[in-house]
Amino acid sequence: MNTDKMDITKKEISVLLNILNFDFDYSNLDKIDNIYIPLKYFLINKYSKILNTLKQKFKLYIYMPTIIKANYRNLFFNNIEKTIENYDIKGFVISNISNLNLLEDVLNTTKSDFELIANYTFNIFNNYSVNELKKLDINRFTISPESDRDIVTTLCNNSCLSKELIVYGNTPLMNINYCLSGKTNKCYPTCTARCTSNNKYYLKDRLNMNFRVLFDNIQTVSSIYNSKITSISPMDFDVDCVRVDIIDENIDEINNIVNIVYDGKRLEGKEYTNGNLNREL
């Protein structure tokens, strides 16, 4: 046994729920500290029951999108203060510097103890970038899934901020500034959000690999995800928090994944990958 391995029970476990499902009982989730929910769900009243369930058990964070159009900004400003109060929001996962500008008034006019987490989309690969984040009052950063083992280890050992590592999930490959389904089916003028229901959409490549596609009907934005699921053991890295990214997994599957992570293990099989850990950039 490698005595240098980290104690996973001392790390927080965060779960990003990319999709909220009305058929799921989220009160049955277990061993989770933080829940990240995409911003759009806080702007749609019919999800309030699910959000209230989640806030009762976990620390709830707003997961900011990488693309924010004008109509989204207006919705955000009109609803953010009520959202913070109603759901006892603990912080924000920000995807780029512009999110800080969007949140400036919120951070200055409401409670000052929000936790700000820089998402992996900041592409932090060295401690110079970490130091810049600290100047911006960022509390935690998520290590890029494009990092190799040496970069992850260096960031874990030397950085001055709290670190988070994604240990499970389909990595987004591309965010597109329009709706793929709407452009194809010409449904976007009268969108009824059928693409955000239980229907599942994929792009298939020449090797017959399926790449999951998610739609944000408020912004007509599409996100394409890797066909393979990243799954790595958190035991080798000195991080403060590990993150599990969920798309279509049900409650039992989520709990099983979290239990495997809690035990310091990874999922095995042809559908899983360790990402870029063993590659050189």
Side-chain angles (χ1 to χ4, degrees), residues 11-240:
K11 307 178 195 295
E12 291 188 3
I13 296 180
S14 299
V15 171
L16 165 62
L17 299 175
N18 281 291
I19 297 176
L20 294 182
N21 192 313
F22 291 113
D23 297 326
F24 291 177
D25 184 356
Y26 290 97
S27 66
N28 290 326
L29 291 175
D30 193 27
K31 292 184 180 178
I32 297 169
D33 298 289
N34 313 309
I35 293 284
Y36 302 160
I37 301 295
L39 172 63
K40 64 181 179 181
Y41 289 110
F42 294 96
L43 306 178
I44 305 174
N45 289 331
K46 65 181 180 180
Y47 290 102
S48 60
K49 183 176 180 180
I50 294 177
L51 295 172
N52 278 313
T53 297
L54 291 170
K55 84 168 187 179
Q56 297 300 323
K57 291 193 66 175
F58 315 106
K59 291 187 290 184
L60 200 56
Y61 293 73
I62 296 177
Y63 189 86
M64 301 293 288
T66 54
I67 299 173
I68 298 183
K69 296 183 180 180
N71 66 322
Y72 225 41
R73 292 174 63 89
N74 294 335
L75 281 171
F76 176 84
F77 288 127
N78 290 336
N79 292 276
I80 188 58
E81 290 189 18
K82 183 172 69 174
T83 294
I84 291 170
E85 181 179 352
N86 288 348
Y87 301 114
D88 191 22
I89 299 301
K90 302 302 183 184
F92 299 85
V93 182
I94 60 174
S95 294
N96 48 53
I97 292 294
S98 67
N99 287 167
L100 280 179
N101 293 331
L102 190 67
L103 291 167
E104 184 176 5
D105 288 342
V106 174
L107 299 176
N108 289 336
T109 59
T110 60
K111 64 179 184 179
S112 59
D113 57 346
F114 288 121
E115 185 176 16
L116 294 178
I117 303 171
N119 204 1
Y120 70 90
T121 47
F122 274 76
N123 294 315
I124 303 300
F125 290 107
N126 54 58
N127 286 302
Y128 175 82
S129 298
V130 175
N131 291 332
E132 292 302 308
L133 290 180
K134 186 176 182 180
K135 295 176 184 178
L136 295 172
D137 294 325
I138 301 297
N139 304 103
R140 176 184 295 171
F141 71 96
T142 307
I143 297 171
S144 171
E146 297 182 9
S147 302
D148 63 20
R149 187 177 297 274
D150 288 341
I151 291 175
V152 176
T153 301
T154 298
L155 288 173
C156 288
N157 292 342
N158 299 321
S159 64
C160 57
L161 290 180
S162 175
K163 289 87 61 179
E164 180 176 71
L165 180 67
I166 300 173
V167 296
Y168 175 92
N170 296 82
T171 303
L173 301 177
M174 182 181 298
N175 294 299
I176 303 173
N177 199 20
Y178 64 89
C179 177
L180 292 176
S181 178
K183 289 290 186 180
T184 303
N185 301 320
K186 306 300 181 184
C187 60
Y188 49 85
T190 57
C191 178
T192 57
R194 64 184 179 86
C195 297
T196 60
S197 65
N198 292 334
N199 299 320
K200 298 179 182 179
Y201 294 83
Y202 300 88
L203 291 178
K204 182 177 288 187
D205 70 2
R206 58 187 177 84
L207 299 177
N208 289 322
M209 303 290 285
N210 289 320
F211 294 77
R212 185 74 161 91
V213 182
L214 296 184
F215 304 98
D216 182 342
N217 65 303
I218 297 178
Q219 297 206 99
T220 60
V221 168
S222 307
S223 298
I224 303 174
Y225 290 77
N226 194 357
S227 59
K228 287 187 176 290
I229 301 171
T230 296
S231 182
I232 62 179
S233 169
M235 293 293 286
D236 295 328
F237 303 106
D238 186 15
V239 293
D240 305 280

Side-chain angles (χ1 to χ4, degrees), residues 1-13 143 149 152-153 156-157 164-168 231-243 258-268 277:
M1 179 177 179
N2 185 354
T3 57
D4 292 332
K5 289 183 179 293
M6 308 301 167
D7 184 358
I8 183 60
T9 62
K10 295 181 180 179
K11 307 178 195 295
E12 291 188 3
I13 296 180
I143 297 171
R149 187 177 297 274
V152 176
T153 301
C156 288
N157 292 342
E164 180 176 71
L165 180 67
I166 300 173
V167 296
Y168 175 92
S231 182
I232 62 179
S233 169
M235 293 293 286
D236 295 328
F237 303 106
D238 186 15
V239 293
D240 305 280
C241 183
V242 292
R243 175 174 137 184
V258 170
N259 280 324
I260 290 172
V261 170
Y262 190 82
D263 290 337
K265 300 176 182 178
R266 67 180 297 268
L267 288 92
E268 305 281 352
L277 278 186

